Amino acid sequence: MTTPFPSSHVPAEAPRRQKAGARITLTLASLAMIGPFTIDTVFPAFVRIGDEFGGDDIALQQLISAYLAAFAIMSVLHGPLSDALGRKKVMIGGLTIYLIGMFGAVLAPTLGSLILLRVMQGMSAGAATIVSRVVIRDMFSGSEAQRLMARVMMIFSVAPAIAPILGGWLLLLGDWRWVFAGVGLYGLLVLVATTRLPETLPREARTPLRVGSLLGSLLHVGRSPVMLRVAAASAFGFASQFVFIAGASIVVVRLLGLGEQDFWVLFLPLILGMTSGAWLVGRAADVMDRARLITIGFVGAVLSTGLNLLLVSIAPPFTGGLSWSLLLAVSGPMLIAFSVALLFAPIQLEVLDLFPHERGAAASLGTFFGLVLNALLAGVVAPLVTASLQVLALTALCFAVLGTALWSWHLRAVRAPQEIRVHEPS
């Protein structure tokens, strides 16, 4: 399913390892967890931040959308910079700036300054999360790369569930500033662990550090119809799950009638779905073609989002606390998370393998589409589609259908030239 390149165009690579050790796996997973920790720990603090600064729901949602928008814009550069400077240097530099923005948020005097610091966090966090995916593909290939990506995702899947719970616990220590201090300490530990990672891109394989060269690699990758189709399919597929995370502060408190320590009710089913799906991806690495697994994930996303719409439509009215209606409301998102997990890790490798000599640029642009959509979900879409669980479920279904349609288009476009070659007379 990848685009072939002449061997002369593929740069020399660092020596590959046979298997990923526990330290490398945990470090790469910790880097990936920076994103959900930065987003989800803040949800329980929304009420207190709003009370202190007088912000309404739309203003508070910008704490998420501003971070995601900045993450998306800078994500275009992190990968190409790692192609030029090396993976490790870019990750360490990004984490350092991220920590300045995170600990600076503890001192924010206004909601506007807090949003600006969230922009700073978003601009730098991608250096860790995006480039860490490239490191996986630098070090491993084939089924081992898929297994490691799946293991990283299994650990990463814990973050969206732990993060809001951790945010609620930190609020027990004091005001909302404790949330940013806690995540900052986590980032500091990740920075220390990252310094022990090997550099996976040797100097002779790096691209020149010139604006023209960086923009040229982005243009080469970005104008590929294959990249556009696969990246857009991945973005919409993941959005069918992320819409529940983006609107979590409204879903948990308003639609489910729960409190700021009760975010686990939504996120625990999500983590169960993501973890079990990622486990299955790792088990399927040696027995199933990558494209087939991605297709199964997209079909599952459509079926699970449709089932979720049915469940919330037949659920009895909420009466507060744990109930049958609450169980129906969180079962659907769990199944959606399971289905999305089946496609997420394999489609990341699919993007990286499209451009083996420009993996950093491919990772950046492959991530960019999803991040832009996630930012729109958090800042614009989520406040509009959380009027009821039914509207939210219908939105998730639409995203799943769009992602599946784009992936189907990609499969047809790739198979058409192959079929022509088969039928050509010899």
Side-chain angles (χ1 to χ4, degrees):
M1 294 304 298
T2 57
T3 302
F5 287 89
S7 58
S8 60
H9 289 180
V10 182
E13 296 182 334
R16 293 195 184 279
R17 302 178 178 222
Q18 295 300 314
K19 291 186 178 296
R23 180 176 63 83
I24 288 177
T25 301
L26 289 174
T27 300
L28 292 172
S30 298
L31 286 162
M33 292 165 70
I34 287 284
F37 268 134
T38 307
I39 297 171
D40 299 339
T41 51
V42 182
F43 286 137
F46 269 26
V47 174
R48 298 195 188 187
I49 295 173
D51 289 343
E52 178 170 333
F53 294 134
D56 57 16
D57 285 344
I58 294 178
L60 292 172
Q61 281 294 128
Q62 306 318 307
L63 292 172
I64 306 301
S65 62
Y67 167 84
L68 289 172
F71 194 118
I73 293 170
M74 280 302 296
S75 71
V76 177
L77 297 179
H78 291 313
L81 283 174
S82 77
D83 286 338
L85 299 174
R87 317 300 189 201
K88 189 173 178 179
K89 187 179 295 185
V90 172
M91 288 190 293
I92 290 175
L95 283 171
T96 301
I97 298 172
Y98 170 82
L99 289 175
I100 295 173
M102 187 58 68
F103 287 119
V106 176
L107 306 175
T110 64
L111 181 58
S113 61
L114 183 59
I115 291 174
L116 287 177
L117 287 163
R118 293 289 282 176
V119 170
M120 184 178 183
Q121 295 163 21
M123 292 177 66
S124 54
T129 58
I130 294 172
V131 178
S132 65
R133 298 175 190 171
V134 186
V135 170
I136 293 175
R137 189 58 187 86
D138 282 347
M139 299 178 72
F140 303 96
S141 61
S143 59
E144 182 59 26
Q146 181 168 315
R147 272 192 293 269
L148 177 55
M149 190 76 82
R151 291 191 202 109
V152 167
M153 186 175 177
M154 284 181 66
I155 302 172
F156 159 85
S157 300
V158 178
I162 292 179
I165 298 172
L166 177 62
W169 288 346
L170 289 170
L171 289 175
L172 297 176
L173 300 176
D175 64 15
W176 57 267
R177 290 174 173 82
W178 281 91
V179 173
F180 292 95
V183 178
L185 290 175
Y186 171 79
L188 185 60
L189 293 175
V190 174
L191 174 60
V192 173
T194 303
T195 61
R196 300 187 61 197
L197 283 176
E199 175 54 63
T200 61
L201 186 67
R203 291 186 180 275
E204 62 270 19
R206 299 177 189 177
T207 59
L209 183 58
R210 297 194 299 266
V211 174
S213 178
L214 294 178
L215 294 179
S217 65
L218 286 172
L219 181 62
H220 176 228
V221 174
R223 67 186 179 186
S224 166
V226 180
M227 165 61 79
L228 295 175
R229 288 194 299 266
V230 176
S234 175
F236 282 112
F238 186 73
S240 66
Q241 169 196 318
F242 189 76
V243 68
F244 295 94
I245 298 173
S249 60
I250 301 173
V251 173
V252 171
V253 177
R254 294 199 174 180
L255 299 185
L256 300 182
L258 303 174
E260 61 184 22
Q261 267 78 45
D262 296 325
F263 278 74
W264 65 270
V265 174
L266 174 63
F267 282 91
L268 184 57
L270 287 174
I271 182 180
L272 290 175
M274 288 186 285
T275 304
S276 55
W279 176 85
L280 188 58
V281 168
R283 299 287 291 181
D286 291 319
V287 298
M288 183 177 294
D289 176 74
R290 185 198 296 169
R292 180 174 297 179
L293 182 59
I294 296 172
T295 300
I296 292 173
F298 274 113
V299 172
V302 173
L303 294 176
S304 58
T305 51
L307 177 61
N308 178 59
L309 178 59
L310 175 63
L311 291 177
V312 296
S313 298
I314 66 174
F318 287 98
T319 57
L322 298 178
S323 63
W324 175 248
S325 57
L326 182 61
L327 178 62
L328 291 178
V330 300
S331 295
M334 179 177 66
L335 295 174
I336 296 169
F338 172 81
S339 300
V340 172
L342 294 181
L343 67 92
F344 186 75
I347 208 168
Q348 299 301 311
L349 293 173
E350 191 79 6
V351 168
L352 294 175
D353 283 347
L354 289 172
F355 297 89
H357 59 307
E358 294 169 318
R359 285 195 191 118
S364 283
L365 287 179
T367 306
F368 175 76
F369 292 96
L371 290 172
V372 170
L373 183 55
N374 290 347
L376 291 174
L377 283 173
V380 180
V381 178
L384 298 177
V385 303
T386 47
S388 69
L389 290 174
Q390 290 81 6
V391 175
L392 182 63
L394 181 60
T395 304
L397 174 60
C398 291
F399 284 135
V401 170
L402 280 172
T404 304
L406 287 165
W407 177 250
S408 299
W409 180 18
H410 168 67
L411 292 180
R412 289 194 301 271
V414 170
R415 288 171 181 166
Q418 297 174 349
E419 293 174 356
I420 291 173
R421 286 195 296 271
V422 169
H423 290 91
E424 282 180 348
S426 57

